[in-house]
Amino acid sequence: MSEAMSDRAIHDRATGEGTDERAKGRLYGVGLGPGDPSLMTLRAVEVIAEADVIAYHSARHGRSIARSIAERHLRADHIEEPLVYPVTTGTTDHPGGYQGAMEEFYEESAARLAVHLDAGRTVAVLAEGDPLFYGSYMHMHKRLADRYETEVVPGVTSVSAAAARLQTPLVEGEEVLTILPGTLPQEELTARLAATDSAVVMKLGRTFPAVREALAGSGRLAEARYVERATMAGERTGHLADVDPGSVPYFSVAVVPSRVGNPGARPSGPGEVVVVGTGPAGPLWLTPETRRALADAEVLVGYTTYLDRVPVRPGQVRHGSDNKVESERAEFALDLARRGKRVAVVSGGDPGVFAMATAVLEVAGQDAYKEVPVRVLPGVTAANAAAAAAGAPLGHDYATLSLSDRLKPWEVIAERLRAAASADLVLALYNPGSRSRTWQVARAKELLLELRPPQTPVVVARDVGGPEQSVRILTLATLEPDEVDMRTLLLIGSSQTQVTARADGTTVTWTPRRYPEA
């Protein structure tokens, strides 16, 4: 050691820190891998060999899986610290309940290890799998790592071991892997399983029935595999649907593997058409159910702009087309389904609001397609998205109208505008203008000013959810028709709609749910 004092030594002498203490010990979180001792890393073996104290968690029966994995590397002179859980299920008479009992246990365990560390001993806390992956070591880490030198030795996780024992890829290319605890509520599990490509569900045991139902509800049960005690004695693998729920231990996982190169992973059966809404912008607006339908489809059909919002998946075929051929697009999709293909017709917003659902169902009513199954899945509508961005202008009764006169005469539009305005409804106006339709907004403004005061709030929402989002709150009098295009949606307030300035400098608009006479 250099004769010159280190900065730390100078600091300790100046402050009095460290002068009355022996050198503190070092804390290790040691990942042991999934169970087979031969899968321990060299670093894990080195740390155990050098440690003074070996700590490990166990149930009340005293047997520790972590200790059994590392047993061949333990020495007679190792100080062993079994950290025995006071409870292993949610049942306890502790005044703080299960969580209170566990918090108290972790605090006491950390205090026991701190005594060794303060005495200068090296402490290795053994952990199955990886120490910071659903492991008990992390509770020691959070309580001790800021006070002692610490090293975490990573280990092979049960997820990797399960995939290896199944000899199947978990994810490939752009696929997404989701890891879930089986203790989540069943509906949450179902939604997350539906929205992902591949998945691993941990902590089965008593949660297995709910996990199985979630896999079935998300349409993933046929793909799901089961792995029990991977790399350990008593290992078992198979199709999850065939597993007896009463035979499932805690140390087991459900695996929904990669679909790439596995055509049997997608649902089998007759062809069908599913009409899905992507919301007003893209992936952030997709529902889990819509994500699942898009992943299950063999063929995607839609307006090219909307198809571009859907991630490309290996093995899927995409047919993009112009936005003015809705009937032809619907017939094409139904014809593919009639020949056995699973087809998703992709629509923007909600497919049932001025979008593709009507076109598909109209064509599906023909004799040639009456036997083809058709489903419609909802999406976030442009009106709801615009309203949320502006506040809550649709908080009371409202009417939704399209200003496009391509499929209905302007006289009908004008009559409906007058009726809705006379009824004092908030108006959500879709398709207000385009390059070929430039006068409709001005005509609608003139008509509404006959029935609404000039100060009526108007929301001009453009590209909501997209990179060019713009949401402005104007009045009916100051609305500039030339600034409205096909990507814009207009919300016209009622007599009760309010505009409020917020403390942060923003402005919001909202329509009360209670009418004055109520």
Side-chain angles (χ1 to χ4, degrees):
M1 177 180 291
S2 170
E3 292 183 4
M5 294 181 67
S6 68
D7 290 342
R8 179 65 191 177
I10 294 172
H11 170 79
D12 289 350
R13 180 164 291 183
T15 60
E17 293 181 17
T19 55
D20 296 322
E21 297 183 17
R22 288 173 290 179
K24 291 183 177 180
R26 187 177 177 90
L27 173 68
Y28 291 92
V30 184
L32 303 175
D36 184 345
S38 67
L39 293 177
M40 291 173 59
T41 65
L42 291 174
R43 183 57 182 152
V45 173
E46 290 172 354
V47 168
I48 292 171
E50 296 168 2
D52 302 305
V53 179
I54 302 296
Y56 45 83
H57 291 81
S58 76
R60 287 181 175 177
H61 50 56
R63 296 185 299 274
S64 167
I65 293 176
R67 187 188 186 285
S68 68
I69 297 171
E71 186 172 14
R72 71 176 66 170
H73 304 290
L74 300 185
R75 303 189 313 267
D77 62 340
H78 270 137
I79 302 170
E80 296 193 19
E81 280 286 0
L83 307 176
V84 181
Y85 291 113
V87 59
T88 52
T89 66
T91 304
T92 177
D93 56 3
H94 190 282
Y98 176 79
Q99 192 62 37
M102 295 305 294
E103 285 296 317
E104 184 177 290
F105 164 67
Y106 292 137
E107 290 293 338
E108 291 175 350
S109 297
R112 285 170 57 191
L113 299 185
V115 171
H116 292 295
L117 292 164
D118 287 338
R121 302 186 186 104
T122 298
V123 177
V125 182
L126 307 182
E128 304 100 303
D130 183 90
L132 298 180
F133 182 74
Y134 290 122
S136 296
Y137 164 76
M138 67 181 65
H139 299 288
M140 301 299 97
H141 188 87
K142 289 186 291 186
R143 289 166 172 80
L144 298 171
D146 62 334
R147 294 153 52 193
Y148 305 97
E149 272 194 77
T150 302
E151 179 184 337
V152 178
V153 180
V156 177
T157 69
S158 57
V159 172
S160 299
R165 303 310 288 172
L166 290 172
Q167 297 190 24
T168 184
L170 278 176
V171 278
E172 184 174 335
E174 303 301 317
E175 287 184 310
V176 174
L177 170 65
T178 299
I179 298 175
L180 302 163
T183 50
L184 285 177
Q186 184 177 320
E187 286 188 352
E188 181 72 12
L189 279 170
T190 303
R192 290 181 180 268
L193 287 166
T196 192
D197 299 310
S198 303
V200 174
V201 186
M202 316 280 294
K203 305 181 181 182
L204 295 186
R206 58 191 175 87
T207 72
F208 183 82
V211 171
R212 191 186 189 285
E213 288 300 313
L215 286 162
S218 62
R220 315 304 298 274
L221 183 59
E223 304 167 62
R225 303 292 297 277
Y226 173 81
V227 183
E228 176 182 319
R229 296 186 173 93
T231 79
M232 303 169 67
E235 175 184 291
R236 179 169 56 138
T237 64
H239 292 283
L240 188 135
D242 300 332
V243 174
D244 174 13
S247 68
V248 177
Y250 180 83
F251 285 97
S252 55
V253 297
V255 179
V256 180
S258 170
R259 286 185 158 188
V260 178
N262 183 15
R266 283 195 171 86
S268 59
E272 69 164 349
V273 171
V274 184
V275 191
V276 302
T278 62
L284 285 175
W285 303 81
L286 293 177
T287 67
E289 187 177 30
T290 296
R291 288 182 183 275
R292 182 78 269 122
L294 290 171
D296 287 343
E298 297 171 277
V299 183
L300 302 183
V301 175
Y303 174 35
T304 302
T305 298
Y306 300 145
L307 279 183
D308 289 343
R309 298 175 181 173
V310 180
V312 175
R313 296 174 183 274
Q316 280 186 335
V317 179
R318 302 159 77 96
H319 294 281
S321 55
D322 183 78
N323 67 337
K324 296 180 181 179
V325 291
E326 293 181 350
S327 294
E328 293 88 338
R329 187 185 305 143
E331 186 171 353
F332 178 68
L334 287 160
D335 191 56
L336 288 172
R338 185 173 59 177
R339 289 185 275 146
K341 297 294 185 181
R342 301 179 65 84
V343 183
V345 175
V346 179
S347 179
D350 182 283
V353 181
F354 304 122
M356 279 302 300
T358 299
V360 171
L361 290 172
E362 182 178 3
V363 177
Q366 299 175 14
D367 289 341
Y369 302 113
K370 283 186 176 180
E371 301 300 319
V372 177
V374 176
R375 291 188 291 140
V376 179
L377 301 184
V380 177
T381 69
N384 293 149
L394 303 183
H396 207 292
D397 300 336
Y398 68 93
T400 301
L401 294 89
S402 171
L403 292 190
S404 173
D405 59 350
R406 189 167 66 86
L407 299 175
K408 63 180 182 287
W410 176 256
E411 291 72 21
V412 172
I413 298 172
E415 181 181 355
R416 290 176 179 178
L417 278 172
R418 290 191 184 94
S422 299
D424 199 25
L425 297 172
V426 175
L427 305 178
L429 303 182
Y430 281 70
N431 308 317
S434 67
R435 283 176 293 184
S436 61
R437 294 187 298 103
T438 59
W439 55 267
Q440 283 86 348
V441 176
R443 192 74 59 83
K445 176 181 175 179
E446 293 173 4
L447 186 155
L448 291 171
L449 281 171
E450 296 173 6
L451 300 165
R452 297 275 172 94
Q455 66 271 23
T456 298
V458 175
V459 175
V460 181
R462 186 177 187 278
D463 192 33
V464 175
E468 299 178 16
Q469 174 172 313
S470 171
V471 179
R472 296 179 293 148
I473 301 174
L474 312 173
T475 65
L476 189 56
T478 59
L479 172 64
E480 292 290 343
D482 292 344
E483 298 178 359
V484 177
D485 61 14
M486 194 66 177
R487 298 173 66 187
T488 303
L489 186 134
L490 299 176
L491 300 176
I492 315 295
S494 71
S495 65
Q496 303 303 307
T497 302
Q498 307 292 312
V499 177
T500 305
R502 304 288 298 161
D504 60 4
T506 60
T507 301
V508 297
T509 181
W510 50 282
T511 303
R513 295 179 62 192
R514 181 182 296 276
Y515 232 65
E517 295 80 5

